[in-house]
Amino acid sequence: DQQVKQNSPSLSVQEGRISILNCDYTNSMFDYFLWYKKYPAEGPTFLISISSIKDKNEDGRFTVFLNKSAKHLSLHIVPSQPGDSAVYFCAREASGSARQLTFGSGTQLTVLP
Amino acid sequence: DAGITQSPRHKVTETGTPVTLRCHQTENHRYMYWYRQDPGHGLRLIHYSYGVKDTDKGEVSDGYSVSRSKTEDFLLTLESATSSQTSVYFCAISDGGSGNTIYFGEGSWLTVV
């Protein structure tokens, strides 16, 4: 029962353009969704989170949108930079779960110069 | 960067031997976690701890045990390593506040031959 799904294993965009990474989920019992970025041979790094009571959260070049009716969230990166090339994971934090995270399988983003 | 140290960072071991991975934190966070990352699966929770001597199972706990005798240390033990436990293992820490950052260590690469 995969509760968090990232259907695109890879995405390539040109530098300066928008990157949109998508994530779908299968139930609604959660407090937060979090996005992590991971470079090879390093641990995941927290990017941004969104509460279940919000539709949007923004932090600099990163914006996360939550569509509760469609059970879908997306991460927008504008403008994309070559240093953004990494694997991006969405993760769900369930209510009352001691902050256990359920991760999607990740999307490899490549930003082309 | 959060003060998380994983050891060893790389290890090759033989099938059937015991292996212990150590996670050490200097942040005095209450919660500690062990995840494994495998291709196509993102990160999956093995075990977590919500205090000294308080631990619980995660999604993929079979074949693993943990111990936490001090706030700063969380040990993951493979009692008898198998080839299916070849993976990258990440420790994570959290202060417990929902939506707050959960910090990850740099990972321990384990190969069971």
Side-chain angles (χ1 to χ4, degrees):
Chain A
D1 179 26
Q2 188 172 4
Q3 299 175 334
V4 179
K5 186 172 289 188
Q6 294 177 257
N7 291 313
S8 299
S10 63
L11 174 69
S12 293
V13 298
Q14 288 293 135
E15 181 179 3
R17 305 294 292 271
I18 184 172
S19 295
I20 300 176
L21 299 122
N22 296 303
C23 185
D24 297 306
Y25 60 97
T26 57
N27 66 55
S28 58
M29 293 300 293
F30 71 95
D31 278 340
Y32 284 86
F33 277 103
L34 300 87
W35 282 95
Y36 279 83
K37 171 182 179 179
K38 186 181 180 306
Y39 293 118
E42 294 184 9
T45 302
F46 173 77
L47 272 177
I48 191 170
S49 65
I50 187 165
S51 161
S52 60
I53 62 172
K54 292 189 173 183
D55 299 321
K56 176 183 173 181
N57 189 27
E58 189 172 359
D59 184 1
R61 296 187 298 116
F62 302 93
T63 303
V64 57
F65 296 91
L66 178 61
N67 182 333
K68 287 182 277 294
S69 61
K71 295 186 178 180
H72 177 85
L73 73 158
S74 60
L75 175 68
H76 293 211
I77 306 174
V78 184
S80 300
Q81 301 172 354
D84 295 330
S85 296
V87 177
Y88 289 78
F89 293 98
C90 66
R92 164 187 166 271
E93 177 186 337
S95 303
S97 67
R99 304 212 67 205
Q100 297 173 60
L101 297 179
T102 301
F103 284 84
S105 55
T107 297
Q108 171 70 57
L109 173 66
T110 301
V111 180
L112 305 169
Chain B
D1 290 345
I4 307 173
T5 304
Q6 291 186 228
S7 59
R9 294 291 314 281
H10 297 87
K11 186 173 181 66
V12 179
T13 192
E14 294 187 347
T15 298
T17 61
V19 177
T20 295
L21 306 180
R22 178 180 183 241
C23 179
H24 178 79
Q25 61 146 329
T26 57
E27 306 296 327
N28 200 35
H29 282 352
R30 177 184 176 189
Y31 294 90
M32 298 185 75
Y33 312 81
W34 278 107
Y35 287 85
R36 60 178 287 175
Q37 185 193 8
D38 304 291
H41 287 279
L43 284 83
R44 292 180 292 173
L45 182 65
I46 305 171
H47 281 279
Y48 66 99
S49 169
Y50 46 96
V52 173
K53 297 186 180 178
D54 292 322
T55 65
D56 206 347
K57 296 179 179 180
E59 177 188 358
V60 290
S61 59
D62 287 348
Y64 301 94
S65 62
V66 290
S67 65
R68 192 170 178 197
S69 59
K70 298 184 291 186
T71 298
E72 58 266 34
D73 289 327
F74 192 34
L75 304 181
L76 176 70
T77 298
L78 291 66
E79 300 290 346
S80 178
T82 68
S83 59
S84 65
Q85 294 175 312
T86 293
S87 188
V88 184
Y89 292 86
F90 290 98
C91 173
I93 64 173
S94 165
D95 63 1
S98 291
N100 289 350
T101 301
I102 297 175
Y103 297 96
F104 283 81
E106 296 193 338
S108 294
W109 275 255
L110 177 66
T111 302
V112 184
V113 297

